[in-house]
Amino acid sequence: QVQLVESGGGLVQAGGSLRLSCAASGRTFSISYMGWFRQAPGKEREFVAAISWIGGSTYYADSVKGRFIISRDNTKSTVYLQMNSLKPEDTAVYYCAATRRSAYGSLQGYEYWGQGTQVTVSS
């Protein structure tokens, strides 16, 4: 089992920045990818970004490419999401997820989820 705890959400004005953190514990040696997803009110949960736990390869949704950066610190078993140039449409609950599988972009591919952290971007 892997446990995930997110932190770092909050309220920010459009154009501002926030950094989310996700601390993993448990059987972290089994993780292949860690990802961030988000869910806005009335919408489905969507992929934001993912990172290979070992190699560090990164993947982004088109909507955040060039604005968000995912990174990891294996020594701390922590993944970060640096969000820059935030827009009101980035407002959502952001979820951290981990998987032992190879499907990094698929919501169904992730086995472990955090509780979510609210990000609100005001215009």
Side-chain angles (χ1 to χ4, degrees), residues 5 8-9 13 19 26 29 41 43 47-48 50 56 59 65 68 79-80 82 86 90-91 93-94 101 113 119:
V5 178
Q13 288 189 330
R19 189 176 82 155
F29 62 86
K43 295 188 176 181
F47 171 75
V48 175
Y59 310 88
K65 202 171 294 183
F68 290 10
V79 171
Y80 304 97
Q82 177 66 42
L86 282 161
D90 294 318
T91 296
V93 177
Y94 283 71
R101 305 167 184 162
W113 293 85
V119 171

Side-chain angles (χ1 to χ4, degrees), residues 1-4 23-32 34 53-54 74 76-77:
Q1 290 286 350
V2 175
Q3 294 78 40
L4 304 172
S25 61
R27 300 173 66 87
T28 58
F29 62 86
S30 64
I31 296 174
S32 296
M34 289 192 69
W53 194 240
I54 301 300
N74 292 59
K76 298 180 179 179
S77 297

